[in-house]
Amino acid sequence: MKIKITKRELINFEKKILKLFEKAKIPYPVHFSGGNENQLIEIFKEIKRGDYIFSTHRSHYHYLLAGGSPNDLEKKILDGKSMHVFDKKLNFFTSSIVSGCPSIAAGVAYALKKKKSKKKVWCFVGDGAEDEGHFYEAVKYVDGWDLPCTFIIEDNNLSVETPKEARYGKSEIKWPKCVRRYYYKRTYPHVGTGKWVDFSGVKVGGPSF
Ligand SMILES: Cc1ncc(C[n+]2csc(CCOP(=O)(O)OP(=O)(O)O)c2C)c(N)n1
Ligand SMILES: [Mg+2]
């Protein structure tokens, strides 16, 4: 689709929301996007109007790139809906359940194929969702039935504050072609206090052998 918002506008939107959050105007959890503007702009050029988009707890950039209005999004965020952005007109859905969307995305893709629709499904997940059995099941179903659905792993090497190596050692799964991945270094900490929490002294995850 033709992208109507620039990288700078995306960044400025999040900065504006961050200011509101820090002034305690948003007494709800907010997850800020940042550091992945270029990758997302490229991906959204491939997405067509009318395609179905499934997002995550971190949905602001996805919504704006899908053509959502910044003013509407700001209202939703001020109303506590940052993690529940939904817009039927844009076929835009989120779930803040980690890996909550992949099986729904697979079901929508199944329906689209059955109806011989040309529309596609795009399902964004974090690398934390990649750890979940739900993700595996949805990928297997989409791959097996060759459904029009692409999963995009947004890999910042962190599930909240825990890197992959601390979660499951060195495993790297080779996913089928319906799964893509982009890497990025996030701009903000997991939950938007705007301030980084120093976890360097905390021992995290995993069995000790
Ligand atoms: C089923 C489920 N388990 C745990 C959580 C708590 N939780 C919220 S976001 C998150 C991290 C998931 O990692 P990732 O998708 O990579 O997101 P990131 O930390 O990079 O924003 C977790 C564990 C949740 N929302 N849903
Ligand atoms: Mg992550």
Side-chain angles (χ1 to χ4, degrees), residues 57-58 96-98 126-129 132 156 158-160 190:
H57 54 286
R58 190 184 305 296
S96 43
I97 298 171
V98 172
D127 58 298
E132 305 264 341
N156 57 10
L158 289 168
S159 176
V160 187
H190 180 81

Side-chain angles (χ1 to χ4, degrees), residues 127-196:
D127 58 298
E130 189 186 0
D131 301 354
E132 305 264 341
H134 295 288
F135 179 67
Y136 168 81
E137 292 165 33
V139 168
K140 189 164 173 157
Y141 195 78
V142 164
D143 183 53
W145 295 112
D146 194 23
L147 301 180
C149 177
T150 301
F151 298 98
I152 293 142
I153 300 172
E154 308 189 289
D155 191 336
N156 57 10
N157 188 28
L158 289 168
S159 176
V160 187
E161 302 297 338
T162 312
K164 287 190 269 186
E165 199 163 332
R167 283 160 22 217
Y168 48 77
K170 293 203 187 311
S171 164
E172 204 56 74
I173 302 271
K174 276 208 169 49
W175 297 109
K177 65 179 187 321
C178 60
V179 180
R180 292 194 211 165
R181 178 191 307 274
Y182 74 80
Y183 295 94
Y184 77 108
K185 196 169 170 356
R186 66 184 185 178
T187 304
Y188 298 103
H190 180 81
V191 176
T193 59
K195 295 186 179 60
W196 291 90

Side-chain angles (χ1 to χ4, degrees), residues 3 37-47 180:
I3 310 294
E37 297 81 12
N38 293 337
Q39 296 92 323
L40 283 179
I41 286 169
E42 282 312 304
I43 292 165
F44 270 83
K45 284 180 189 165
E46 271 185 70
I47 301 177
R180 292 194 211 165

